[in-house]
Amino acid sequence: MSNPSDHPVIICAGVVDPYLPGGSDGTMHTYGPGERLEGLPPEWAPLMHDLGVTMMQLDLPHVTTPEIDEGVWDWSKFDRWTQQYRQLGFQVMLFPHWHWPPGWYIRKYGLEGSRCLEHDQQLPCFSVWDPATLPWYERCISAMAEHCCATHGAPEGFFIGVHGDYGECMYPMGSTEELSDRFQFERGESVAHGHLGFWCGDRFARADFPVYALEKYGSLDRLNRAWLTRLDRIEDVSFPTRGECERRAWLDFDGWYSGAMTRFSGEVADLYRRYFPDSVLTLPLGGGVEPSEYGQDNTALVKAMRASHTSVRSTANTCLYRSSEFDRVGKFARSYAILKRIKTACIHYGLPMWLEPPYPPSRDALAVTAGIFECLSCGVSGCLDWGRTFHRRQDQYRKFKGILRGAQAVVDTAVYFPMSSHLLTGRTAQYGGNMPARFWDGCAALRPYSDYNVLDERLIQDGALDAYRRLIVFEADVVESSTVEFISRWIDGGGSAVFAATECMQTVEGDCEPLNRLLSVCDDRRVTHCTQDITLASHCAVDDLDVRALAAIESGWMDLDSAVTPLVMRGSTVVAWQRDWGRGSVFALSDGASHLPVMLDLFRGVGRTGLHLPGAIDLCRSPQEAMSVFVTHFDDGIAVLNLNEEPVEISSGSRTAQVPALDLQWIPGDQG
């Protein structure tokens, strides 16, 4: 594989353990005396160089700072590690944390802190709404810059700590026990309260929300009309409760909550860029999954990093490798959807992407191989893995060290991420309240059919859909009306969209007409118990549809628009159909989200109506084998990850290759 980039992928190793180490079985335990890895063992240096590692990450304390008393800084460990890494021939990536102020600060100046909305309990970390927070960050960053200037120079890179439990762009989510373990380890203290929730109960946050709402609507009358409320004074504006307020009120609250974290993250990145103009900056996007309580808007955060030229680093590389909920294929297929959600924003806003796996460093050889495939497929500019993983899984890294070259995959398909539906849905209707269930199921099932990128409503409204030929919509129960307009214009310009036409698809304001018009349906013509014989039209889009699977779909529509071409009928009821719009087309399947195999076969058939990139199901000899194979296209070949326990044969162009079991292989494209 050639490297088309002048900037090879940066491979970084984390060699200073956080507060708890990982056992070989994936569990975590408290350190024993002398057990903590606090720097790179010198005897590992030749191995790291051989594997292509050029940078070492070191962490400052997680829940305090190196300022042991006011104006008294202890940089000794930072200096020692920096000197060691550079003497061994490595650059330095520093991960600082400032949002948990040290005890002396709290005793002397007090701290409003972050407060949970549910219990009105405090955590001793700065609130992003507190006006003292950003000056504190600048004070710490400037002190660090002054020290670096006077000693060994600036670190070559920063993983810029922002907030939350681990310095990521989210609010606190750890349990009391977990936080207390960390405080005991680093500060000899404990924490009285911690959990996943909304951490906006402090007085600064409560004062900010009404101001935000009034600025958005311009007047209390307009706010009342949007929220369907009768508030008399701006002081009466308070936090809404999901499910007990109008949709718009909840979306406004969520936008304010995540928007505060986005704004603060941008301000922190700007500070680092001001004091360290030549260092590589990377932003920690944690979690992967996206409950409202995290306050992490993955698209908005990427967009906010453009001003400071900060790369985006997701900690979701093989993030489900320890999950017991999904099988081997499901773990990586679902992890992939999380990564592509972030990568797509990086593509559109023009920012580099990094990846790192979650701690602890106990992944097996297959997880490391799959992680390398994820890095390759996402066209990363840099990746981090843990020092112990490089040491334990050196065979995998040695085998694939030349495969990462920063090239961008060729992708012609987008999947719609149902942001409005997701934010409005109660946690019990999602996977642990964390991801839209039908979207996630759909993406996992889609991957053998096609590589894809992921577009949410913000990306669509910023014009990102124009880069794709196909859009698949697994879930769109609630959507912004403007998003429907953008999709409609894209279809009119030549796009092909495949929709799961579910029972009720509405705008945020409850209007069914925009999506009904796009899909050419009418609510009062819906049939829910249809059992007549199935007939298929003569159309390439339905050539692969399984009649037995179709029999499970008992819903459809009567009397569709005359411009509709029925593709699947049950008697006089239309189950699947096509509608041409301008130069493009809409394809729809009734209740397709409940019948993913049928919807995906329809999607595959739609690809035959125009040029499309083949997926594993097109390139493998056996459709059954293809369900455990991932294919990513590049300009000069394809990368294949085979998660079958047997080798598979892949045919691409004039080339045929055997991909070993549980392995990754590059197949060059036809030249000339």
Side-chain angles (χ1 to χ4, degrees):
M1 298 174 68
S2 61
N3 190 335
S5 173
D6 294 331
H7 303 284
V9 172
I10 300 172
I11 301 179
C12 183
V15 291
V16 179
D17 286 333
Y19 71 104
L20 290 177
S24 60
D25 60 351
T27 59
M28 293 198 287
H29 60 277
T30 303
Y31 286 111
E35 185 179 5
R36 189 184 190 204
L37 186 65
E38 296 197 13
L40 176 67
E43 63 272 18
W44 287 11
L47 170 66
M48 296 294 180
H49 284 299
D50 180 55
L51 298 181
V53 176
T54 58
M55 185 174 279
M56 293 288 159
Q57 178 174 300
L58 60 91
D59 295 26
L60 293 183
H62 279 210
V63 292
T64 186
T65 76
E67 191 175 10
I68 56 178
D69 203 350
E70 188 167 16
V72 181
W73 294 83
D74 180 4
W75 300 107
S76 57
K77 288 186 177 180
F78 168 49
D79 292 339
R80 183 170 66 252
W81 294 330
T82 297
Q83 182 180 17
Q84 179 203 36
Y85 297 158
R86 288 179 173 165
Q87 286 177 345
L88 292 172
F90 299 101
Q91 296 180 330
V92 174
M93 169 75 73
L94 180 63
F95 189 9
H97 304 74
W98 312 118
H99 59 292
W100 302 94
W104 68 260
Y105 176 94
I106 298 173
R107 290 189 295 270
K108 183 170 184 177
Y109 296 105
L111 180 69
E112 173 71 15
S114 294
R115 286 185 174 271
C116 85
L117 200 57
E118 184 178 358
H119 309 100
D120 193 30
Q121 295 290 310
Q122 184 209 51
L123 270 179
C125 66
F126 277 106
S127 163
V128 299
W129 292 276
D130 187 339
T133 302
L134 199 63
W136 166 259
Y137 274 61
E138 182 165 13
R139 179 183 179 279
C140 295
I141 294 169
S142 64
M144 181 172 59
E146 182 179 355
H147 174 76
C148 290
C149 182
T151 53
H152 37 63
E156 287 76 13
F158 282 93
F159 197 33
I160 59 173
V162 178
H163 205 265
D165 297 292
Y166 298 100
E168 296 161 330
C169 305
M170 57 175 64
Y171 296 94
M173 54 180 257
S175 67
T176 303
E177 292 75 18
E178 180 184 354
L179 287 170
S180 291
D181 279 347
R182 300 170 63 203
F183 265 68
Q184 185 63 42
F185 184 80
E186 291 191 348
R187 299 171 60 144
E189 304 172 11
S190 62
V191 172
H193 193 71
H195 58 81
L196 176 64
F198 291 101
W199 291 87
C200 56
D202 63 276
R203 59 189 174 96
F204 300 112
R206 290 183 181 276
D208 187 72
F209 181 64
V211 174
Y212 165 88
L214 188 61
E215 287 180 350
K216 175 174 181 177
Y217 289 102
S219 72
L220 194 57
D221 286 341
R222 291 195 184 105
L223 184 149
N224 279 324
R225 286 197 294 272
W227 291 8
L228 299 184
T229 51
R230 296 180 178 179
L231 304 175
D232 296 322
R233 305 174 305 156
I234 190 61
E235 293 81 7
D236 296 331
V237 176
S238 60
F239 298 137
T241 301
R242 179 164 44 195
E244 299 179 10
C245 62
E246 285 300 309
R247 292 169 174 169
R248 181 60 65 193
W250 179 259
L251 292 177
D252 284 342
F253 167 76
D254 192 279
W256 166 80
Y257 189 66
S258 64
M261 183 59 70
T262 297
R263 182 189 66 251
F264 181 71
S265 299
E267 292 169 338
V268 171
D270 290 343
L271 284 175
Y272 275 97
R273 180 55 69 207
R274 187 193 316 163
Y275 284 96
F276 297 95
D278 300 320
S279 297
V280 173
L281 303 183
T282 60
L283 182 81
L285 286 189
V289 293
E290 299 184 48
S292 292
E293 289 85 344
Y294 283 9
Q296 180 174 287
D297 184 331
N298 287 324
T299 297
L301 282 161
V302 175
K303 188 175 181 178
M305 292 301 110
R306 292 185 299 177
S308 58
H309 306 289
T310 297
S311 300
V312 174
R313 179 164 142 193
S314 170
T315 61
N317 188 209
T318 60
C319 61
L320 299 175
Y321 77 99
R322 287 189 293 156
S323 171
S324 59
E325 185 175 359
F326 308 112
D327 62 15
R328 178 175 65 239
V329 175
K331 292 175 184 178
F332 299 117
R334 291 174 187 276
S335 173
Y336 194 80
I338 294 169
L339 299 180
K340 280 308 196 79
R341 164 106 173 86
I342 299 167
K343 174 60 181 179
T344 309
C346 290
I347 293 171
H348 185 68
Y349 299 122
L351 286 180
M353 182 181 184
W354 285 49
L355 286 180
E356 81 169 69
Y359 197 81
S362 52
R363 294 178 300 157
D364 60 22
L366 177 59
V368 172
T369 298
I372 293 171
F373 176 80
E374 289 177 348
C375 290
L376 175 63
S377 296
C378 287
V380 299
S381 297
C383 62
L384 175 137
D385 210 334
W386 305 103
R388 283 193 174 101
T389 302
F390 284 114
H391 191 255
R392 294 168 178 168
R393 306 301 175 196
Q394 55 187 275
D395 289 347
Q396 280 66 44
Y397 273 103
R398 186 172 287 109
K399 179 178 180 180
F400 298 120
K401 68 179 181 180
I403 204 170
L404 297 177
R405 73 265 179 70
Q408 300 304 306
V410 181
V411 181
D412 64 0
T413 295
V415 179
Y416 172 68
F417 186 88
M419 181 57 81
S420 293
S421 295
H422 174 58
L423 297 178
L424 291 164
T425 301
R427 294 172 60 82
T428 56
Q430 304 165 355
Y431 278 106
N434 296 329
M435 286 293 277
R438 284 175 283 155
F439 160 82
W440 217 17
D441 287 342
C443 285
L446 172 64
R447 191 58 179 86
Y449 290 77
S450 175
D451 195 2
Y452 60 85
N453 287 334
V454 177
L455 299 179
D456 65 5
E457 295 189 78
R458 186 187 302 273
L459 280 166
I460 288 174
Q461 295 185 30
D462 279 355
L465 189 52
D466 293 341
Y468 304 94
R469 292 201 295 264
R470 293 187 294 179
L471 173 69
I472 186 165
V473 181
F474 294 110
E475 180 177 354
D477 293 347
V478 181
V479 61
E480 296 284 2
S481 58
S482 56
T483 302
V484 182
E485 294 172 6
F486 275 93
I487 293 174
S488 299
R489 287 201 293 269
W490 170 79
I491 295 170
D492 188 69
S496 294
V498 182
F499 271 83
T502 50
E503 182 174 356
C504 183
M505 295 183 289
Q506 305 175 347
T507 66
V508 174
E509 286 69 32
D511 185 2
C512 295
E513 196 274 336
L515 278 167
N516 283 357
R517 183 177 68 252
L518 180 62
L519 299 179
S520 303
V521 301
C522 183
D523 286 345
D524 62 5
R525 305 304 297 164
R526 181 178 173 82
V527 178
T528 56
H529 298 288
C530 184
T531 58
Q532 291 95 329
D533 290 341
I534 296 168
T535 57
L536 303 181
S538 178
H539 193 288
C540 61
V542 297
D543 286 348
D544 289 327
L545 298 191
D546 187 336
V547 175
R548 291 172 298 178
L550 284 168
I553 304 177
E554 297 182 351
S555 63
W557 272 265
M558 300 284 290
D559 302 329
L560 296 186
D561 189 290
S562 60
V564 163
T565 299
L567 300 177
V568 179
M569 303 283 292
R570 300 200 74 157
S572 58
T573 302
V574 183
V575 175
W577 61 96
Q578 175 192 4
R579 167 70 189 270
D580 291 333
W581 284 99
R583 294 188 290 119
S585 296
V586 173
F587 294 81
L589 177 70
S590 181
D591 279 347
S594 302
H595 306 283
L596 279 174
V598 177
M599 189 175 184
L600 293 172
D601 285 335
L602 177 64
F603 168 82
R604 185 186 182 195
V606 168
R608 296 196 185 96
T609 64
L611 295 175
H612 75 289
L613 296 171
I617 198 166
D618 302 304
L619 303 179
C620 289
R621 281 189 172 184
S622 164
Q624 183 176 358
E625 289 179 342
M627 294 300 101
S628 300
V629 175
F630 299 162
V631 173
T632 302
H633 289 264
F634 297 88
D635 287 334
D636 56 346
I638 62 173
V640 182
L641 177 67
N642 175 24
L643 295 184
N644 288 284
E645 294 184 354
E646 300 293 336
V648 297
E649 185 174 288
I650 294 285
S651 297
S652 178
S654 63
R655 298 178 183 267
T656 299
Q658 286 279 342
V659 183
L662 306 176
D663 209 350
L664 164 62
Q665 187 162 321
W666 170 258
I667 303 176
D670 294 324
Q671 303 300 314

